[in-house]
Amino acid sequence: MKIVLADDHPVFTAGVRNYLNHVPDCRVVASVTSSDALVRCLESTPCDLVITEFSMPMVRVSDGLHLLSYIRRHHPQTWLVVLTMNAFPLVLYQIVNSGANGLLHKSDEIPELGKTIRHLGNGSPYVGPSFRALLQNGINGQAKSRIPSPRETEVLRLYVAGNSLRDIAQRLSKSVKTVSLQKASAMKKLGLDSDIALGRYCAAVSGDIVQPPGCGDWFQTDNENSDEGEES
């Protein structure tokens, strides 16, 4: 199994690589330290499995969720295991819902990574013990209803990056009213009652790094025009 590692902490990466060197039929073929480098690496380095930190330095990749969505859409045959220290429940639900095949807390024992690899192909994500109790009931209907649509997520990301609602409306070719409604809808789904709470949530998703205005959008979703609340 060819593996690509992605983490911006070299000591952590060295430990994971050392462990995988002793796992039968596993071989690390590349390691990178940013989301953008991971995207470039996958274009030129065939692999069977990506093991990635959820929150890494980003420039053109908007946040961790968009990175996972991009990998799943452009490399659908590649297994995807996510490592994170994020304990925000809804973010963890979104990671699993994005198509990740494994989810581990970075404080889990290293053999959990071997268990995750052996679980690949079983049809359900492997969740490490640190998150298992939190996610053991899966994503029920109520939880799914609280997940913002891709367009709503985009609006929140742009707003937290410093764009006004008018700026966002111009960028997305929507009315200010539509953008305002999408922002309000997303915040309601997430249980956020202020811009301060919104900032904390987006920091949890992006690792305290947001895409500045003007950066290219690699990760536009395929069904942007089908999101709820759209107006011309």
Side-chain angles (χ1 to χ4, degrees):
M1 177 179 290
K2 298 178 181 178
I3 302 173
V4 170
L5 301 180
D7 195 288
D8 57 327
H9 297 90
V11 173
F12 185 85
T13 300
V16 172
R17 180 191 287 269
N18 182 65
Y19 172 78
L20 292 173
N21 285 339
H22 295 86
V23 176
D25 301 320
C26 288
R27 179 165 63 95
V28 177
V29 295
S31 61
V32 298
T33 58
S34 72
S35 297
D36 303 286
L38 177 57
V39 170
R40 293 191 297 269
C41 178
L42 292 178
E43 292 173 351
S44 60
T45 307
C47 69
D48 304 297
L49 168 64
V50 172
I51 300 175
T52 180
E53 159 66 60
F54 179 64
S55 300
M56 291 188 294
M58 307 172 189
V59 177
R60 296 186 68 182
V61 183
S62 57
D63 56 48
L65 292 174
H66 280 76
L67 173 65
L68 301 183
S69 175
Y70 177 87
I71 294 173
R72 184 51 62 226
R73 286 187 289 118
H74 290 268
H75 305 278
Q77 304 304 316
T78 301
W79 302 114
L80 184 57
V81 173
V82 178
L83 308 176
T84 184
M85 295 186 69
N86 194 315
F88 202 119
L90 187 55
V91 174
L92 300 177
Y93 280 126
Q94 290 175 306
I95 290 173
V96 172
N97 204 41
S98 72
N101 304 107
L103 175 62
L104 298 175
H105 194 284
K106 295 180 82 170
S107 67
D108 285 337
E109 297 292 334
I110 192 70
E112 287 295 321
L113 190 54
K115 293 179 182 179
T116 305
I117 292 174
R118 291 192 295 273
H119 185 83
L120 295 175
N122 283 0
S124 61
Y126 182 88
V127 178
S130 297
F131 296 138
R132 197 167 296 148
L134 183 63
L135 300 178
Q136 64 183 353
N137 294 324
I139 305 177
N140 57 31
Q142 183 178 7
K144 286 182 178 178
S145 70
R146 296 199 305 269
I147 297 177
S149 70
R151 176 61 84 191
E152 290 171 344
T153 300
E154 181 78 351
V155 168
L156 292 188
R157 179 180 68 79
L158 292 171
Y159 184 78
V160 172
N163 296 275
S164 68
L165 293 179
R166 186 173 297 278
D167 291 337
I168 298 171
Q170 292 177 347
R171 178 166 176 167
L172 301 180
S173 299
K174 299 296 177 183
S175 69
V176 175
K177 179 181 178 182
T178 293
V179 170
S180 178
L181 288 173
Q182 288 173 332
K183 173 178 177 285
S185 174
M187 291 181 65
K188 182 178 180 180
K189 289 178 180 179
L190 296 170
L192 306 176
D193 58 5
S194 69
D195 284 353
I196 292 176
L198 171 60
R200 289 171 179 165
Y201 169 78
C202 288
V205 170
S206 66
D208 292 318
I209 300 174
V210 294
Q211 181 183 22
C215 283
D217 290 326
W218 289 1
F219 297 90
Q220 294 294 333
T221 56
D222 295 329
N223 299 309
E224 287 180 333
N225 293 328
S226 65
D227 294 324
E228 60 189 16
E230 293 279 342
E231 296 180 9
S232 59

